[in-house]
Amino acid sequence: MGPGVVVTGLTLGALAVVSLLAFQANGAQDRAGGARPTPSATSSGPAASAAPSASATPTVPALPTTSGSGTRVVYSVGSHYVWLVDPKKNPQVVAAYPVTPGSVEPTPGSYPVYSRTPSTTGTDGRQIEHVVRFAQQNGVVFGFSAALDGATPTTDPKAKTGGIRSSRQDGQLLWDFAPNGTRVIVVA
């Protein structure tokens, strides 16, 4: 057996091993991507729950392109989603989660967080925590919060409420992310 045959055999063997490893790595990436929980499922907090199965994980809408730049909280009145964006991080969207609005929505624009309250009673009479207020329009105060019992805002057509509710763990994320002065960008 000549040296050319040995080199050819070693080359073919190496190519087979590399191909097998590439195939396995591709499968591992697909498995990791499919089982990745949403940012809210990975958050830790007083009421953190088990991560949902891959089939139950909702699709997170993309960060709206009209959301500006810099560190900000983005709220979409159209999709009822919140994104916490920090351009110094990779990925820049550090969390994204669904919320339930009150009976009135804020006007699209840029607002600073102007007030925070650790816990209080919401306009619907529920005990809430992590209240982060960012706008007042026509006598309605708009802010993010989480109900201690997990309740969403009551949709009483006579009551004008601007509370935007999230889960407790997502409320904790926003509370930690958005001190007074943080920009809240409201998009359509």
Side-chain angles (χ1 to χ4, degrees):
M1 181 167 18
V5 173
V6 171
V7 170
T8 302
L10 289 174
T11 302
L12 289 174
L15 286 173
V17 169
V18 169
S19 297
L20 175 63
L21 292 174
F23 176 77
Q24 288 177 333
N26 187 34
Q29 180 183 2
D30 291 344
R31 288 187 299 276
R36 187 178 302 126
T38 62
S40 65
T42 61
S43 50
S44 60
S49 60
S53 68
S55 62
T57 302
T59 301
V60 176
L63 176 67
T65 58
T66 58
S67 72
S69 62
T71 301
R72 63 204 184 275
V73 175
V74 178
Y75 170 57
S76 169
V77 297
S79 68
H80 298 130
Y81 243 81
V82 167
W83 295 264
L84 306 181
V85 183
D86 184 348
K88 296 175 188 164
K89 303 265 175 137
N90 188 12
Q92 290 185 12
V93 175
V94 296
Y97 52 86
V99 292
T100 304
S103 61
V104 180
E105 294 275 18
T107 303
S110 177
Y111 307 92
V113 170
Y114 70 85
S115 172
R116 293 164 36 104
T117 303
S119 63
T120 189
T121 301
T123 54
D124 60 357
R126 303 274 186 186
Q127 288 299 113
I128 57 174
E129 65 182 356
H130 302 126
V131 181
V132 177
R133 296 175 196 89
F134 62 90
Q136 293 183 41
Q137 298 168 355
N138 300 319
V140 178
V141 176
F142 294 96
F144 303 103
S145 65
L148 296 182
D149 64 1
T152 57
T154 308
T155 54
D156 179 359
K158 296 176 190 167
K160 292 186 177 186
T161 59
I164 302 165
R165 295 266 171 87
S166 67
S167 69
R168 291 184 73 190
Q169 61 265 28
D170 292 336
Q172 180 72 55
L173 283 172
L174 191 135
W175 177 262
D176 293 341
F177 184 85
N180 282 341
T182 303
R183 285 184 314 131
V184 175
I185 307 298
V186 177
V187 297

